[in-house]
Amino acid sequence: MNPRALPWYDYSGRFSPLKALVLLALLVPGLWIAVSYDLGLLGARPVTEAIHEFGDWTIRLVFIALAISPARIVLQWPQLLQLRRLVGVAAFAYVLVHFSLYVVDEAFAIPTVISEIVLRIYLTIGFTALLGLGVLAITSTDGWQRRLGARRWQKLHRVVYGIALLAVIHFFLQSKLNEWEPTVMAGIYLWLMGCRAIVRRYGRGKMPLPAMASLSLAAGALTAIGEALYFWIAMGAPFGLVLMANFSLETGLRPGWVVLASTGALTLLGALRGLIKPPSKARLRPA
Ligand code: HEM
């Protein structure tokens, strides 16, 4: 067997401690959910809770996979790129469990599962995203990269941005009242799209820190505005009042701040990295 195919080997076929560590880290949430289920820690409806937990981790992993490209540029850490496939395939594994648990919850009534997927728009969207992730996981191998050619392969794998958007919509539609986390994910999605725009504007491998800082500010502000718009349209809550809630902790930390802090952290790390290591002249591989 080609050692490069094993998830703990790098492109040159050598054992990669970084990849092995990340592989172990990717297993932790799934194992933790399984152990919690076994110990009865998942509440009155453990299967439903497990569906939610696996869904949460699927969308997080899709977003982490997407953040790897900007992170390796900002942190000047080219080795990060080899983790993208690993994280992407893990996202697919998590969504497979998420879906399988849904089938278990429906008592294996396959005709019901099919009709629900066709009739309930949030399930139709989730299933489309699952199929998309499946195609990307299957074609993520070196063999498929060769078969399709670099350009076509990259074009195909850009579909992941559409999949991430479907995942955010699925998340929003299924969450009945608590829109906090879907709003955070929507804000981070905006930031990820902004990262692509920065690369397009400044050229491959270039993400100036001032542009990245401005992007985090814009993503945080747009998230706050989006949240206020949502509460206004869906619940008739005064737009200004919801917006002002961002400046008090009475209703907890609002999503806009979480988006600003989590995406801004990468820029901050990039600035610290720049202090330690001057910008590399070596060309980074294209994203
Ligand atoms: C890439 C694809 C998918 C992603 C990223 C995803 C993600 C999520 C997320 C984040 C949640 C909410 C968890 C929470 O509230 O804490 C969720 C809930 C759910 N998802 Fe998915 N999902 C996907 C595909 C699917 C598919 C294919 C199905 C089934 C056909 C499905 C069925 C469900 C169900 C039943 C819930 C719970 C809804 C409820 O309790 O009312 N998802 N999903």
Side-chain angles (χ1 to χ4, degrees), residues 119-151:
L119 296 174
R120 287 179 179 239
I121 186 70
Y122 87 95
L123 292 180
T124 317
I125 291 171
F127 197 70
T128 310
L130 177 147
L131 293 180
L133 275 186
V135 170
L136 297 192
I138 291 166
T139 57
S140 69
T141 60
D142 293 350
W144 271 102
Q145 283 194 34
R146 266 194 310 275
R147 229 166 290 163
L148 290 173
R151 256 172 181 273

Side-chain angles (χ1 to χ4, degrees), residues 48 51-52 55-56 58-59 95 98-99 102 117 122-123 126-127 129-130 133 163 167 170-171 174 176:
T48 308
I51 292 175
H52 281 247
D56 284 341
T58 304
I59 192 165
V95 78
H98 178 64
F99 175 59
Y102 168 70
I117 290 173
Y122 87 95
L123 292 180
F127 197 70
L130 177 147
L133 275 186
I163 294 173
H170 171 76
F171 199 176
Q174 70 76 45
K176 277 101 198 167

